[in-house]
Amino acid sequence: MTVDGATADGNDEVEFTVTISDGNDNPMQGETVTVGDAEDVGNLGGINAGDDAQTDANGEATFTATSTDTGEFTVEFSESNAGTDTATATFDPGAPDEVRLDADPDDETVTADGEDSISYTVTVLDANDNPVDGVDVMADGSE
């Protein structure tokens, strides 16, 4: 794989490059490489199970994929004589786009007895609702 850690924005691409060579490590041109029906393929854009490509003079077939979901996605590739292998791409969240605040209890009503409390959870999300880690959040409880 030539690009990893793309942004999960539906536009940033990862590139899978599959190389087919003979027993002497010579590149094999004109071989058909096919994308397998692995579970993760359905979660990616731009690549589908059954897609195929011919290897070039360097024995390489290239496939690209996008995603709006973060995480690792494993894709299976096969060639009739060379067999099957997998590659994994990682998509990272985009820039912070939204802050969500959840309260427990939901109605934010408690008894003023010094024992009851309200817990707040703050989640920072990118434009595709993926959680974004490592963002500093400030709270002001003065109101």
Side-chain angles (χ1 to χ4, degrees):
M1 183 155 35
T2 56
V3 177
D4 198 15
T7 301
D9 62 4
N11 294 312
D12 204 7
E13 296 180 334
V14 293
E15 189 173 88
F16 296 99
T17 302
V18 180
T19 305
I20 305 296
S21 56
D22 65 17
N24 295 315
D25 287 330
N26 297 310
M28 299 194 56
Q29 183 174 3
E31 300 299 314
T32 302
V33 177
T34 305
V35 177
D37 192 15
E39 180 179 329
D40 287 348
V41 171
N43 296 320
L44 297 172
I47 190 170
N48 296 295
D51 286 353
D52 61 29
Q54 300 293 310
T55 56
D56 61 16
N58 296 319
E60 296 178 346
T62 302
F63 301 86
T64 58
T66 62
S67 182
T68 56
D69 296 322
T70 59
E72 291 185 346
F73 300 89
T74 300
V75 180
E76 182 180 270
F77 299 94
S78 64
E79 192 278 329
S80 61
N81 296 310
T84 301
D85 203 354
T86 60
T88 301
T90 303
F91 285 89
D92 298 325
D97 184 67
E98 177 184 350
V99 176
R100 286 196 187 146
L101 180 65
D102 295 307
D104 183 21
D106 290 341
D107 66 1
E108 300 182 60
T109 302
V110 294
T111 303
D113 60 6
E115 304 238 348
D116 281 356
S117 65
I118 300 174
S119 296
Y120 292 98
T121 302
V122 177
T123 306
V124 179
L125 303 168
D126 70 7
N128 292 297
D129 290 333
N130 296 306
V132 180
D133 293 336
V135 177
D136 291 330
V137 177
M138 295 177 55
D140 181 357
S142 62
E143 292 184 24

